[in-house]
Amino acid sequence: MDETTAVKRLVDNSLRSTSSHIPLDTIQETILCRLPVKSLLRFRCICKPWDSLISKDLKFAKKHLRVSPKRQHLVTTTTPSGAEDLTMSVMSCPFDSLNLHSNLHSKSTQLDYSPILSSKYHDGLVASSDGILCFTVNGRAVLYNPCIRKLQELPYIDLPHKKGSTYYAFGFGYDPFIDNYKVVADMYIYETQVRETHSYTLGTASWKRIKDFPSKFSMNGFSKSEHGIFIRGAVNWLTSNSYGYSRNIVSLDLGKESYQEISLPDLPDLPFRDEYKQTLTLDVMRDCLCLFDIYQGKRPDRLDAFTDVWLMKEYGDKESWIKLIRLPSFASYADFMNIVYISEDNHMLLVFRNNSKFKGGVYDSKNDTITIKSSRTQDKLGMVKSKVYLESLISPS
């Protein structure tokens, strides 16, 4: 007997006989909270109380997120380059953290809110939090839960003095102090060198200005194309000096709306630095803040590049940085590589871009082997981003 048939039989028996009536609270506690979102959406048609519970009850949605098995999906956005109107494609597939190779063979489906018309190279996927995906499209934040197909386009930030090219760095995450979700936007107007930071809380009608990004990190304080990384109630950005060299991490606490600096690990001082291009990026791996220290050869024949992966085991504590692994160069496979997931045994799910082809791969660090699968071809493929997100009933509106 499948899951749907079993639940329907339980409900039918409950409705037919008063003596066998099972209270909705009991069904909710013992069954519904543990079912997949897809099943719950089908059960909305059983009766009006169930429809209301599944579709509108925020308390139930939060409990379902907390107690149901963690069912994950992999979302990937791809954007072509070199076009006036860029069309961002958003694909999703089931994600199995216990068998990364299975993800290479999972069939992707295009999300309903796709394609998204975009006109800037650095638009695209910002973050995921509790099933809600955050995108930026033409300087506007868009929230979408693909499991329940609910979307919210946030209003534009009203800046009376906004003139000229404006660069945005967004962040998105959960604020435990108010039990709600926030989007933050740091904006820099190139011509006037004006910089402001604003936040938006779900359920409100507008953005509000908060304390500005620390002034000593003004002027391109972080990469225009890098959005904030959320962990432990805070959004984190890499900062850089006027020469473009990264110096620190600046963290914005969503609850207190205050900043702190987090030191980088002691990175190696490599010889022949003029032969390499160094790039630092942040992410979250194994529930820890993660730093990727990427060294790429400046000459195409240079294949001895590598990527050092650092984990901060205790958030905010510089002494807790550990170098997890050094990855070899994947230049023979692609001109772009993104690490999506790292398992406890250091198997890594990777995405590649090479000759307009989008590929997935699994790297086995113990045996130093990699499995590659091509998944799609797109003319002039530009930006590729992938993140893991959870199934949830949490609505972005």
Side-chain angles (χ1 to χ4, degrees):
M1 184 186 304
D2 64 21
E3 177 182 86
T4 303
T5 303
V7 173
K8 285 185 175 179
R9 181 173 296 180
L10 173 65
V11 175
D12 289 341
N13 291 338
S14 175
L15 295 176
R16 286 195 192 105
S17 171
T18 304
S19 60
S20 64
H21 175 72
I22 302 176
L24 178 60
D25 287 347
T26 302
I27 297 176
Q28 172 186 329
E29 291 285 337
T30 58
I31 300 176
L32 297 185
C33 275
R34 292 166 173 78
L35 293 180
V37 170
K38 187 176 181 180
S39 297
L40 290 173
L41 297 180
R42 291 200 302 267
F43 296 154
R44 291 178 300 182
C45 65
I46 290 179
C47 58
K48 288 184 178 180
W50 280 35
D51 181 35
S52 178
L53 177 74
I54 296 168
S55 302
K56 303 175 183 178
D57 193 322
L58 180 58
K59 183 178 179 181
F60 173 74
K62 291 180 177 179
K63 184 165 187 177
H64 176 268
L65 178 67
R66 188 173 66 252
V67 305
S68 65
K70 302 305 182 213
R71 299 174 177 91
Q72 298 176 307
H73 298 263
L74 180 68
V75 61
T76 299
T77 61
T78 58
T79 308
S81 63
E84 291 184 2
D85 292 320
L86 305 181
T87 301
M88 183 170 66
S89 178
V90 186
M91 309 295 292
S92 178
C93 68
F95 177 79
D96 185 355
S97 60
L98 299 179
N99 183 6
L100 296 186
H101 287 275
S102 68
N103 300 301
L104 299 180
H105 303 281
S106 296
K107 185 177 180 180
S108 295
T109 57
Q110 188 162 305
L111 296 186
D112 289 348
Y113 190 58
S114 177
I116 302 172
L117 293 183
S118 171
S119 63
K120 294 184 179 179
Y121 182 77
H122 55 274
D123 282 352
L125 183 61
V126 174
S128 69
S129 183
D130 294 342
I132 301 176
L133 302 176
C134 179
F135 299 91
T136 174
V137 181
N138 289 327
R140 186 179 193 175
V142 176
L143 302 179
Y144 183 57
N145 184 330
C147 293
I148 59 176
R149 301 180 181 180
K150 288 190 177 181
L151 170 140
Q152 183 180 15
E153 295 181 338
L154 273 57
Y156 285 104
I157 303 172
D158 185 21
L159 295 177
H161 52 273
K162 178 182 174 181
K163 293 181 180 180
S165 301
T166 304
Y167 300 103
Y168 298 84
F170 285 93
F172 172 65
Y174 173 73
D175 180 357
F177 287 89
I178 60 173
D179 189 24
N180 205 345
Y181 299 85
K182 283 184 177 179
V183 181
V184 293
D186 190 85
M187 297 163 295
Y188 176 73
I189 304 174
Y190 185 79
E191 283 79 3
T192 60
Q193 299 186 14
V194 171
R195 189 171 195 167
E196 290 187 6
T197 305
H198 295 248
S199 72
Y200 184 97
T201 302
L202 266 63
T204 60
S206 61
W207 293 83
K208 73 168 186 175
R209 185 172 179 180
I210 62 175
K211 186 177 179 181
D212 289 341
F213 205 78
S215 59
K216 62 181 175 178
F217 298 118
S218 61
M219 289 290 298
N220 299 337
F222 43 77
S223 169
K224 304 181 188 70
S225 63
E226 290 294 332
H227 298 292
I229 300 300
F230 174 79
I231 187 172
R232 304 289 189 271
V235 179
N236 301 265
W237 291 276
L238 281 167
T239 62
S240 61
N241 57 26
S242 58
Y243 298 100
Y245 296 112
S246 295
R247 299 187 303 181
N248 263 340
I249 299 168
V250 172
S251 169
L252 171 63
D253 186 293
L254 290 182
K256 301 176 182 178
E257 294 185 344
S258 61
Y259 299 91
Q260 69 166 329
E261 294 180 47
I262 297 178
S263 298
L264 296 176
D266 295 326
L267 303 177
D269 186 15
L270 297 178
F272 314 114
R273 188 174 292 271
D274 59 330
E275 298 184 16
Y276 294 92
K277 175 185 176 182
Q278 182 188 29
T279 304
L280 299 181
T281 61
L282 284 179
D283 212 323
V284 174
M285 297 287 161
R286 296 187 187 173
D287 293 325
C288 296
L289 189 63
C290 178
L291 176 73
F292 298 118
D293 185 11
I294 306 165
Y295 286 88
Q296 298 169 296
K298 291 185 177 181
R299 300 196 314 268
D301 60 337
R302 183 135 212 150
L303 300 180
D304 57 344
F306 59 87
T307 298
D308 283 341
V309 181
W310 295 80
L311 289 185
M312 178 173 262
K313 302 295 288 184
E314 297 293 333
Y315 178 70
D317 180 7
K318 179 187 177 181
E319 302 305 318
S320 69
W321 282 110
I322 62 167
K323 187 165 76 171
L324 183 66
I325 192 173
R326 172 169 288 185
L327 276 69
S329 169
F330 295 110
S332 59
Y333 297 103
D335 54 18
F336 169 85
M337 184 270 291
N338 178 230
I339 301 172
V340 179
Y341 184 85
I342 304 176
S343 67
E344 292 297 328
D345 58 356
N346 289 347
H347 281 63
M348 301 185 185
L349 182 64
L350 314 172
V351 294
F352 299 97
R353 177 195 64 202
N354 189 26
N355 296 326
S356 296
K357 290 184 178 180
F358 168 60
K359 302 179 179 181
V362 174
Y363 176 67
D364 180 347
S365 62
K366 182 177 180 180
N367 299 309
D368 192 26
T369 58
I370 186 167
T371 304
I372 299 288
K373 181 186 178 184
S374 297
S375 59
R376 65 178 300 184
T377 301
Q378 181 172 317
D379 292 338
K380 296 182 179 180
L381 184 63
M383 185 71 73
V384 178
K385 290 186 178 181
S386 291
K387 289 186 181 293
V388 176
Y389 71 95
L390 293 174
E391 279 190 9
S392 88
L393 293 169
I394 305 294
S395 174
S397 56

